[in-house]
Amino acid sequence: MGQRLLLVDSDRSFLKEHQVSLEAAFDLEVASSPEGVVSRLEEGDFAAALICVEVADNKGYALCSTLRRHPFLGGLKIALISAKATEEEYRRHRSLKGRADLYLNKPIAPSALVAALSPLVPGRAVDPDNPLGDLMDTELGEDWLDGMKGAMEAPSSRPVPESVPVPPAPPFLAPEPARAVETRATAPTDTPRARLLEAQIDALREELRTKELRLREAESEVQKRTSSVTLNLDEAAAAKREAQALKARLAETEAALTARDRELADHKEKGHVLQLNLAGLEVAMRAQERDLAELGDRLRQAEAELGASQASLREAEARIQTLHERLQERQEEITRLTAEASGLRQRLDETTVQHDGERLELMNGLDQKDAQLARLTETLAEQREASAVLEREKQAAYGQLSEHRDRLRNLDTLLQELQEQLRRGSDLARG
């Protein structure tokens, strides 16, 4: 099992409030984005990772799932913290395979956060000669000192969050149970093992008292330094008022220098913020470039599909035009044959009325005419059938044309959406 804690969060206010407490309790490293976290965890000796759900546009859940699927990070403990997640959202995530070991909510007190992470991460080793380590020269402030005092109090007086397990109190602060005292008092003292245990217990007590005294001395030293800083500030204010009373120009110069110092500090802070923003923008730019490349591929694919659809549409229109011409020719031929049949019938009727007496003699000719009429009728039926076939082909062609037009409209809509996304991506890239 590892010994270190990796915090993945880009919330500067959260880091400002909790980083000192976390560094005092654990061996801490901070990452402002999910990029490179997996390789960092592979290379380092990490016991747990505290991941903010909202980091890098809500990629905390995805990072948690990636770490859970990693074959070499099976023993890594994962804690999720969020300023927006609800209990229902956490409950759904607990039912997944990529769930975390601990779920926290912002805002959270520094002491409560340290207490919640203590079961997951081994505590930082404390040097008896320097309990505060590298924090001795750091201006911690009264809030941090109050948090440290609250973290070192007994479990009965420490605030316990509802959804966070509370670790056991440090051994040098926990009161000794009365039952253990009674057992030790009544245990036989004439055995070597009991005497050895009592000697070890006395040595441990003495060592714990020494460490507690050193810790209290360190707290007193921090309080003295805080009081000294406050006293120095009061003296500086009095000297400034006296200088203003003695020489107005010197006061103006000092005020200008102070303003310049503040401006320089503001510029340094702004520079640091700009560096962080630049790093975030570079990450966003890389993501936008990938998105733009994907959009360009999709746009080229849509243009190719649009060109193929337009070619198919032109071919369908040419076929429809040819079918129209053939249908018009068939209709003209049907009209001509119908007129000829009408003329023949009319001539037959006139011949029958005028030459009723010659009917027997003309029977053979009439049979020939009837046969010719039958052939014409058969031809007319064939032409009508051919016309019906052409009409069906025409309807099918109209259906294909309507389908191609619908696909063309869909492709035009998709092309407009892709162009709009491409324009937005370009605006974001330029911004």
Side-chain angles (χ1 to χ4, degrees), residues 195-307:
R195 287 194 296 271
L196 179 61
L197 289 175
E198 288 181 358
Q200 291 178 353
I201 290 173
D202 293 337
L204 288 174
R205 284 181 177 176
E206 184 64 26
E207 183 180 355
L208 291 177
R209 281 195 295 270
T210 303
K211 289 183 178 180
E212 186 175 2
L213 290 175
R214 289 178 178 175
L215 183 59
R216 289 177 179 176
E217 290 175 359
E219 290 181 355
S220 300
E221 182 66 23
V222 172
Q223 291 178 355
K224 289 179 181 178
R225 293 191 178 188
T226 305
S227 300
S228 177
V229 169
T230 305
L231 182 59
N232 290 335
L233 290 176
D234 294 337
E235 292 177 356
K240 185 177 180 180
R241 287 192 299 270
E242 184 179 356
Q244 288 176 352
L246 295 175
K247 194 177 289 187
R249 186 175 179 181
L250 180 60
E252 293 176 359
T253 305
E254 289 179 354
L257 289 175
T258 304
R260 291 187 62 183
D261 290 339
R262 286 197 299 268
E263 185 177 357
L264 181 59
D266 292 339
H267 282 305
K268 288 182 179 179
E269 181 67 22
K270 290 179 180 178
H272 181 65
V273 173
L274 288 175
Q275 288 178 354
L276 295 177
N277 293 335
L278 182 60
L281 287 175
E282 289 177 354
V283 174
M285 284 290 294
R286 286 194 291 270
Q288 289 293 335
E289 288 176 357
R290 290 194 295 270
D291 294 340
L292 288 176
E294 293 177 0
L295 289 174
D297 294 337
R298 292 177 61 187
L299 180 60
R300 286 190 292 271
Q301 183 179 0
E303 289 177 350
E305 292 179 358
L306 180 60

Side-chain angles (χ1 to χ4, degrees), residues 174-181 184 201 205:
E176 185 177 9
R179 182 177 300 175
V181 175
R184 189 173 66 251
I201 290 173
R205 284 181 177 176

Side-chain angles (χ1 to χ4, degrees), residues 310-328 389-405:
Q310 289 177 349
S312 301
L313 182 61
R314 287 193 293 270
E315 292 178 358
E317 289 178 349
R319 289 182 58 190
I320 291 172
Q321 184 65 28
T322 304
L323 291 175
H324 271 296
E325 294 176 356
R326 291 178 60 186
L327 180 61
Q328 187 175 0
V389 171
L390 290 175
E391 185 66 25
R392 288 194 296 272
E393 292 180 356
K394 177 183 176 182
Q395 295 298 328
Y398 275 130
Q400 294 178 359
L401 178 60
S402 177
E403 182 180 356
H404 284 299
R405 285 177 178 172

Side-chain angles (χ1 to χ4, degrees), residues 4 16 26 32 67-68 79 99 116 133 167 277 317 324 365 406:
R4 306 161 71 188
K16 183 177 180 181
F26 311 111
S32 60
L67 297 180
R68 283 300 187 212
R99 59 182 174 270
N277 293 335
E317 289 178 349
H324 271 296
D406 293 338

Side-chain angles (χ1 to χ4, degrees), residues 344-362:
L344 289 173
R345 286 182 181 277
Q346 186 177 0
R347 289 177 60 188
L348 179 60
D349 292 339
E350 292 176 355
T351 302
T352 302
V353 172
Q354 292 178 2
H355 303 285
D356 190 32
E358 300 176 357
R359 183 177 299 174
L360 295 177
E361 295 178 358
L362 298 177

